[in-house]
């Protein structure tokens, strides 16, 4: 299962043609995809456990949830493709609550046994908040962001039994700008489209504020993790997976060739592998950067999720 934004929805991950480039490649996305042959965490789980993973997202679809009509998304979710990947393109932290509601409802449709089946939920969200945070919007500031996250962790604990929750740390989006500087096409796209205003429209100061806010959010999430790990919560686990904390975008191969902003297939392969390895690594030794190349850990019978 997954909650998040367009990164976890797989937007523009592949660019086979102009029209198809605007699709979400949910079957390939690192944290929830289950298309055959793709490098994803659910596929790692299937290979190791020998059991079918329920609820992985599949194939491709148009991001209707990102298109507004009279103040509402045309379609918030597409269950035949999304399954238990609740991520929505353009989502900010305030939409996590409705994404959890969708997961609870969809689990019933997927015939998940709520009381008996163990579940893995990965949350990766915040880029759209960071891209506005340099402009002073109160709801996009670090403490407000983390307050909403913690309230929704409480909601998950109350509504979804037997669940392990991964929160993936945020990264410095300024690295996308740095990697894109080598491409004249990317410079034009960022200037015209401006998907991330703090990155492309507010100069060095905007990028600095955005990065500072990302690091502050990560620090506050460490405190959230500690508070929840100190609680007596049978059947519930929470871990901050920090492999993106100090991530540096190595080059344009990590970015979509459509918008030079969203992660490419190559980036998703590394995200999946690093999340997998991080889940099997003790807290003090978890990686804080995502550096290619990397190989997935093959767990022994003594390994467990951390």
């Amino acid at each position: 299962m997954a909650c998040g934004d367009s990164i976890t929805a797989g937007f523009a991950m592949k660019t086979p043609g102009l029209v198809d480039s605007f699709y979400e490649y949910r079957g390939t996305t690192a944290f929830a995809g289950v298309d055959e042959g793709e490098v994803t965490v659910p596929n790692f789980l299937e290979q190791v456990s020998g059991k079918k993973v329920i609820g992985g997202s599949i194939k491709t679809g148009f991001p209707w949830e990102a298109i507004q009509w009279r103040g509402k998304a045309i379609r918030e979710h597409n269950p035949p493709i999304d399954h238990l990947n609740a991520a929505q393109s353009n989502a900010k932290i305030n939409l996590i609550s409705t994404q959890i509601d969708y997961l609870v409802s969809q689990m019933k449709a997927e015939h998940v046994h709520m009381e008996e089946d163990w579940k893995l939920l990965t949350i990766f969200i915040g880029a759209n908040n960071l891209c506005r945070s340099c402009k002073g919007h109160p709801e996009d500031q670090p403490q407000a962001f983390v307050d909403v996250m913690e309230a929704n962790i409480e909601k998950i604990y109350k509504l979804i039994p037997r669940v392990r929750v991964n929160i993936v740390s945020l990264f410095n989006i300024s690295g996308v700008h740095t990697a894109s500087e080598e491409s004249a096409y990317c410079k034009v796209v960022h200037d015209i489209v401006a998907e991330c205003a703090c990155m492309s429209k507010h100069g060095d100061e905007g990028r600095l504020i955005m990065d500072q806010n990302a690091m502050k959010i990560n620090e506050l999430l460490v405190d959230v993790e500690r508070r929840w790990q100190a609680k007596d919560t049978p059947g519930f686990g929470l871990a901050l997976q920090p492999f993106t904390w100090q991530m540096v975008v190595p080059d344009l191969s990590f970015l979509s060739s459509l918008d030079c902003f969203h992660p490419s297939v190559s980036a998703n392969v590394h995200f999946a592998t690093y999340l997998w390895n991080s889940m099997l690594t003790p807290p003090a030794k978890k990686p804080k950067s995502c550096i290619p190349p990397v190989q997935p850990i093959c767990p022994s019978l003594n390994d467990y999720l951390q």
Side-chain angles (χ1 to χ4, degrees), residues 142-162:
Q143 189 62 60
F145 179 97
V146 174
D147 286 347
V148 175
M149 179 70 82
E150 188 157 22
N152 282 286
I153 291 169
E154 180 75 32
K155 181 173 182 175
I156 294 166
Y157 172 64
K158 290 179 178 178
L159 295 181
I160 306 177
R162 288 197 142 196

Side-chain angles (χ1 to χ4, degrees), residues 149-255:
M149 179 70 82
E150 188 157 22
N152 282 286
I153 291 169
E154 180 75 32
K155 181 173 182 175
I156 294 166
Y157 172 64
K158 290 179 178 178
L159 295 181
I160 306 177
R162 288 197 142 196
V163 63
R164 174 78 181 182
V165 179
N166 292 318
I167 299 178
V168 178
S169 61
L170 300 185
F171 62 96
N172 287 337
I173 297 178
S174 67
V176 173
H177 171 80
T178 301
S180 299
E181 284 290 280
E182 64 186 76
S183 166
Y185 168 79
C186 291
K187 289 182 180 180
V188 171
V189 170
H190 288 169
D191 286 342
I192 294 175
V193 180
E195 284 187 271
C196 182
C198 290
M199 181 187 79
S200 57
K201 294 295 185 183
H202 293 271
D204 291 340
E205 182 180 1
R207 289 187 285 273
L208 176 61
I209 293 172
M210 186 170 55
D211 288 351
Q212 289 173 336
N213 285 336
M215 295 305 101
K216 181 61 176 177
I217 287 172
N218 288 341
E219 292 165 2
L220 291 171
L221 288 174
V222 170
D223 295 336
V224 171
E225 178 190 42
R226 287 172 179 161
R227 284 195 292 273
W228 276 91
Q229 290 183 347
K231 295 181 180 183
D232 182 18
T233 54
F236 178 86
L238 175 72
L240 178 65
Q241 306 295 356
F243 63 92
T244 49
W245 192 314
Q246 298 172 2
M247 184 183 76
V248 175
V249 180
D251 52 45
L252 289 174
S253 69
F254 257 48
L255 303 178

Side-chain angles (χ1 to χ4, degrees), residues 74-86:
I74 290 179
R75 180 169 59 188
E76 292 185 350
H77 296 283
N78 185 9
I81 289 176
D82 301 351
H83 291 279
L84 296 178
N85 180 356

